[in-house]
Amino acid sequence: MENNVMQNICESVGYDKQNREWDKTFPKSQKVSHRKVRFSNRYGIVLAADLYEPKGVEGRLAAIAVCGPFGAVKEQAAGLYAQTMAERGFLTIAFDPSFTGESGGEPRYMASPDINTEDFQAAVDFLSVQENVDPERIGIIGICGWGGLALNAAALDTRIKATVTSTMYDMSRVNANGYFDAENSADARYAKKEAMNAQRIADYKNGSYALGGGVVDPLPEDAPFFIKDYYDYYKTDRGYHKRSLNSNGGWNIIGCMSFINQPILRYSNEIRSAVLVLHGERAHSCYFSRDAYAGMVKDNPFADNKELLIIPDVVHTDLYDGGGKNAIPFDKLEQFFEENLK
C-alpha cells in the first residue's frame, strides 16, 4: 500500500504517528522503550500497535505479539502483558484488531473469525522483518476472546513457535451456544439468527449499525457474578479506556454474527508448536480453557508440549491486570517462551 494511502487510513481512525502521550491503564516502565507502529494485514486493513523493546539489549530478539481481551484495546491488558514481557527481554507488540481502537477497518466495531485470525498473522509478518527480531523465534499471547483466536492462528501459521492463551473464550462456542452452553439447540440458534437478520434490515434502512452496548452501567443489584467482574474492570479506574468497546458502546449488534457457524478450534489438535493455556479456577469462563485444552491434545502426536495451568482463587478479569493480587504468572510465561523460542 502506498505510504500516503496508509497514512490517510490511519488518520481516519484517529491514529497519530506523532502522538507520544502515555494513554495506557497501567504505569509506564522505565526498563523498556515504547513507540507506536502500524502495519497492514492481507485484507489491506491498517493495524495500530504499541511496540515495547527492552533497553540495553543487543542482537536479534525473540518476539511476541499480544492481543485481547475481546472488546478491549491495546492500552489495556494486552499492553500490560506486552510491556511486562519486554521487561523480561522480549521484543513485543500489543495491537488493536481490525475495526477497533486505533486500527483501520470499516464499518467499525465488527469482528470476524477470519480477519481477526489474520490480524495475528499480520503481526507475525511485521515482527518477522524487524532487524532486531529473530523470525524463527516468534510467539503470540491471546487474552480472553483472543485466546481462542490465538489457537486458531497457531493451527494455521507454522511461523508461530509458541502460544499462550490467558483466561480464554471460544468466541464461536459462546456465540453459537450462549454462556455455559445454555442456548445449545437448533431452535435457540435459529431464533438468534432470525433476530440478527432482522437487525441487518433495520441497519440497512438506517444506513448505520446499531451498537449492542458495552458492559452494563449502572450495575443491577442482581447482576450475575461475571457481569460484576467485567464491570469492576471496564467501568472503573482500574481498566476503563475511552476507546475500549466494552468500556463504552460495545460491538455492533450483528458484529459477531459470523462466529455462530464458523468454529475456530476445528483443527487445534493439529497444532505442533508449544501452547500454554492459563485460566483462573474461579473464572466463569474456565470451561472454555479446560475443553479447548482437552480438544487440542486429543489424538495430537504433539501433545507433549501443551500445558493447562489452572490458577487457584483467580477470576476471569484477574488475568487482565493481576486483580490486585499478582494473579498473572509472568515468571511462568517468561520460562515458557524462553524454552520454546530458543
Side-chain angles (χ1 to χ4, degrees), residues 249-261:
W251 297 93
N252 294 328
I253 292 175
I254 66 165
C256 300
M257 184 178 184
S258 59
F259 281 96
I260 292 176
N261 66 337

Side-chain angles (χ1 to χ4, degrees), residues 39-48 67 95-112 114-120 122 146 245 251:
F39 51 91
S40 61
N41 66 20
R42 67 185 171 96
Y43 295 103
I45 298 172
V46 178
L47 303 182
C67 195
F95 65 90
D96 286 330
S98 296
F99 313 111
T100 66
E102 292 183 311
S103 287
E106 294 287 345
R108 306 302 288 165
Y109 313 136
M110 292 293 186
S112 163
D114 178 17
I115 295 175
N116 293 148
T117 299
E118 162 62 21
D119 289 342
F120 260 126
W146 281 84
L245 284 71
W251 297 93

Side-chain angles (χ1 to χ4, degrees), residues 39-43 45 47 65-67 93 95 97-98 112-129 138-141 146 149-160:
F39 51 91
S40 61
N41 66 20
R42 67 185 171 96
Y43 295 103
I45 298 172
L47 303 182
V66 190
C67 195
I93 58 171
F95 65 90
S98 296
S112 163
D114 178 17
I115 295 175
N116 293 148
T117 299
E118 162 62 21
D119 289 342
F120 260 126
Q121 294 191 268
V124 175
D125 293 341
F126 171 80
L127 290 173
S128 295
V129 300
I138 295 177
I140 61 175
I141 298 174
W146 281 84
L149 289 162
L151 288 183
N152 198 40
L156 182 61
D157 197 325
T158 58
R159 300 169 302 171
I160 297 171

Side-chain angles (χ1 to χ4, degrees), residues 14 18-19 42 44 66-67 70 78 84 105 107-108 127 148 174 222 225 232 236 242 260 263 289 299 323 328 334:
Q18 300 302 324
N19 182 13
R42 67 185 171 96
V66 190
C67 195
F70 202 83
T84 305
R108 306 302 288 165
L127 290 173
V174 74
D222 61 347
F225 170 75
D232 286 344
T236 69
K242 62 183 179 181
I260 292 176
S289 282
D299 300 324
I328 305 171
E334 179 181 4

Side-chain angles (χ1 to χ4, degrees), residues 25-26 48 50 65-82 93-98 100 103 116 119-120 123 140-150 164-169 171 230 233-234 239 241 244-246 251 316-317 319-321 328:
T25 60
F26 50 90
D50 287 308
V66 190
C67 195
F70 202 83
V73 287
K74 64 187 180 302
E75 290 79 14
Q76 295 171 304
L80 173 64
Y81 274 69
I93 58 171
F95 65 90
D96 286 330
S98 296
T100 66
S103 287
N116 293 148
D119 289 342
F120 260 126
I140 61 175
I141 298 174
I143 307 165
C144 187
W146 281 84
L149 289 162
V164 169
T165 71
S166 181
T167 197
M168 74 159 282
Y169 262 51
M171 295 306 299
Y230 284 132
Y233 182 79
Y234 286 107
H241 196 279
S244 168
L245 284 71
N246 289 342
W251 297 93
H316 185 84
T317 64
L319 291 181
Y320 286 7
D321 64 350
I328 305 171

Side-chain angles (χ1 to χ4, degrees), residues 36-321:
K36 291 195 171 187
V37 298
R38 63 187 188 273
F39 51 91
S40 61
N41 66 20
R42 67 185 171 96
Y43 295 103
I45 298 172
V46 178
L47 303 182
D50 287 308
L51 185 148
Y52 299 90
E53 184 177 0
K55 292 181 178 179
V57 178
E58 298 180 355
R60 288 197 163 192
L61 305 177
I64 303 169
V66 190
C67 195
F70 202 83
V73 287
K74 64 187 180 302
E75 290 79 14
Q76 295 171 304
L80 173 64
Y81 274 69
Q83 179 176 261
T84 305
M85 295 310 294
E87 289 179 325
R88 293 163 181 256
F90 301 90
L91 186 145
T92 66
I93 58 171
F95 65 90
D96 286 330
S98 296
F99 313 111
T100 66
E102 292 183 311
S103 287
E106 294 287 345
R108 306 302 288 165
Y109 313 136
M110 292 293 186
S112 163
D114 178 17
I115 295 175
N116 293 148
T117 299
E118 162 62 21
D119 289 342
F120 260 126
Q121 294 191 268
V124 175
D125 293 341
F126 171 80
L127 290 173
S128 295
V129 300
Q130 301 309 302
E131 291 184 356
N132 57 345
V133 168
D134 183 344
E136 298 299 321
R137 300 163 64 204
I138 295 177
I140 61 175
I141 298 174
I143 307 165
C144 187
W146 281 84
L149 289 162
L151 288 183
N152 198 40
L156 182 61
D157 197 325
T158 58
R159 300 169 302 171
I160 297 171
K161 299 302 192 295
T163 300
V164 169
T165 71
S166 181
T167 197
M168 74 159 282
Y169 262 51
D170 177 345
M171 295 306 299
S172 292
R173 181 175 177 179
V174 74
N175 277 283
N177 300 349
Y179 281 100
F180 314 111
D181 297 328
E183 302 167 5
N184 186 17
S185 72
D187 287 344
R189 276 185 287 276
Y190 186 86
K192 189 180 302 185
K193 289 182 283 188
E194 192 173 40
M196 286 191 178
N197 284 300
Q199 183 65 49
R200 290 179 69 105
I201 298 297
D203 290 343
Y204 192 84
K205 288 179 178 178
N206 293 332
S208 62
Y209 291 93
L211 295 175
V215 174
V216 62
D217 189 17
L219 185 69
E221 291 185 6
D222 61 347
F225 170 75
F226 71 94
I227 298 297
K228 295 179 181 178
D229 188 22
Y230 284 132
Y231 182 94
D232 286 344
Y233 182 79
Y234 286 107
K235 291 294 187 176
T236 69
D237 290 342
R238 173 184 167 194
Y240 177 84
H241 196 279
K242 62 183 179 181
R243 288 191 293 273
S244 168
L245 284 71
N246 289 342
S247 289
N248 297 284
W251 297 93
N252 294 328
I253 292 175
I254 66 165
C256 300
M257 184 178 184
S258 59
F259 281 96
I260 292 176
N261 66 337
Q262 295 185 40
I264 57 175
L265 301 185
R266 174 63 180 84
Y267 296 106
S268 64
N269 68 334
E270 296 183 5
I271 298 174
R272 299 187 179 190
S273 56
V275 179
L276 171 62
V277 178
L278 304 174
H279 223 111
E281 183 182 34
R282 293 179 52 221
H284 70 280
S285 51
C286 192
Y287 69 101
F288 289 122
S289 282
R290 292 185 186 275
D291 291 354
Y293 174 78
M296 179 172 52
V297 299
K298 183 179 180 181
D299 300 324
N300 187 344
F302 299 91
D304 288 348
N305 61 359
K306 313 297 188 290
E307 181 179 357
L308 173 66
L309 177 60
I310 303 298
I311 306 169
D313 197 33
V314 165
V315 299
H316 185 84
T317 64
D318 285 342
L319 291 181
Y320 286 7
D321 64 350

